[in-house]
């Protein structure tokens, strides 16, 4: 593999979890755009939203996208839920949309042992009505952006990883 794999999808769908599982199976390193932004800014996403607002955060996503295009290859990249809107996403790599219903995503977050923190760190999940609206707006946009769509609802991580490996030709590590 030399093309990057980019995981997109709504907040809490499991992009980071799947990226790490893929990494373990394939031996290919995984990075996360929110992590990159947090280190670049040396503060948490929540703080960036609070102090500078969403627009500033979106600029950081664009900067990250440019850096990824110019510097990163052969890597699994998980992204924040709004990252797919960067113009150059298809120049970064193959885009994989992890698809699930809003209800299943909420269930996944709530059942997490650290559920409180999962909700707290995501400013756009603070208001459930708004989050649902955002989900509805984005669903067709994710589909349109995706090279590959993977339905992850009610599926074991191993099964999802297997499906992604089959569809992308990603090989198991030796
Ligand atoms: C966002 C999703 C978050 C994070 C930021 C904005 C979004 O990432 O990038 O809070 O616009 O959907 P996760 O998808 O990892 O929660």
């Amino acid at each position: 593999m030399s093309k990057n794999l980019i995981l997109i999808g709504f907040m809490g769908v499991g992009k980071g979890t799947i990226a790490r599982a893929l990494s373990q199976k394939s031996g290919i390193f995984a990075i996360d755009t929110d992590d990159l932004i947090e280190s670049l800014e040396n503060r948490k996403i929540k703080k960036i939203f609070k102090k500078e607002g969403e627009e500033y955060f979106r600029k950081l996503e664009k900067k990250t996208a440019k850096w990824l295009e110019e510097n990163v290859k052969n890597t699994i990249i998980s992204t924040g839920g709004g990252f797919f809107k960067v113009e150059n996403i298809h120049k970064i790599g193959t885009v994989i949309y992890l698809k699930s219903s809003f209800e299943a995503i909420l269930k996944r977050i709530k059942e997490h042992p650290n559920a409180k923190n999962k909700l707290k760190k995501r400013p756009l999940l603070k208001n459930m009505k708004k989050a649902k609206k955002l989900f509805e707006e984005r669903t067709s946009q994710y589909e349109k952006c995706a090279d590959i769509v993977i339905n992850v609802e009610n599926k074991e991580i191993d099964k999802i990883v297997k499906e992604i490996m089959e569809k992308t030709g990603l090989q198991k590590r030796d």
Side-chain angles (χ1 to χ4, degrees):
M1 183 175 106
S2 64
K3 229 180 159 190
N4 298 309
L5 297 184
I6 311 163
L7 304 183
I8 66 163
F10 203 67
M11 290 173 269
V13 76
K15 292 164 292 194
T17 304
I18 300 300
R20 289 187 291 274
L22 271 172
S23 181
Q24 191 194 24
K25 264 270 149 60
S26 63
I28 303 275
F29 279 98
I31 57 176
D32 180 87
T33 60
D34 280 349
D35 289 347
L36 291 168
I37 289 172
E38 287 189 344
S39 26
L40 185 69
E41 289 278 304
N42 194 16
R43 53 184 171 164
K44 296 287 180 194
I45 303 291
K46 193 181 156 203
K47 269 261 165 69
I48 302 172
F49 263 75
K50 201 167 161 199
K51 285 259 160 74
E52 254 76 41
E54 183 171 345
E55 208 178 308
Y56 178 78
F57 175 75
R58 299 301 172 200
K59 279 195 190 134
L60 291 173
E61 288 192 315
K62 284 192 187 132
K63 183 174 172 168
T64 307
K66 195 159 179 279
W67 178 80
L68 288 169
E69 182 188 338
E70 286 166 2
N71 297 286
V72 176
K73 59 177 175 21
N74 200 30
T75 298
I76 296 156
I77 304 168
S78 56
T79 62
F83 185 86
F84 74 105
K85 292 202 171 168
V86 299
E87 263 175 33
N88 61 335
I89 191 152
H90 290 102
K91 291 199 181 134
I92 303 172
T94 305
V95 179
I96 303 171
Y97 168 37
L98 305 183
K99 183 177 172 170
S100 172
S101 70
F102 189 67
E103 290 66 31
I105 288 173
L106 281 192
K107 191 165 169 270
R108 184 178 176 273
I109 295 175
K110 284 185 184 149
E111 280 172 1
H112 195 277
N114 202 1
K116 233 175 159 181
N117 190 45
K118 293 261 158 202
L119 282 172
K120 220 172 77 187
K121 74 173 206 185
R122 296 182 160 106
L124 299 178
L125 274 187
K126 248 199 324 217
N127 177 328
M128 273 306 141
K129 236 177 152 178
K130 276 194 187 157
K132 176 96 206 274
K133 193 163 167 266
L134 186 64
F135 177 88
E136 279 159 6
E137 269 168 31
R138 280 193 185 160
T139 300
S140 62
Q141 300 171 353
Y142 285 133
E143 299 253 4
K144 231 185 245 163
C145 177
D147 297 310
I148 296 169
V149 179
I150 304 280
N151 190 348
V152 298
E153 193 162 334
N154 297 323
K155 252 184 223 164
E156 300 283 336
I157 294 174
D158 277 358
K159 172 108 197 326
I160 299 167
V161 166
K162 197 164 167 245
E163 244 179 85
I164 295 176
M165 291 179 90
E166 276 165 13
K167 287 198 174 150
T168 57
L170 187 62
Q171 303 285 320
K172 268 197 194 156
R173 78 207 296 179
D174 307 318

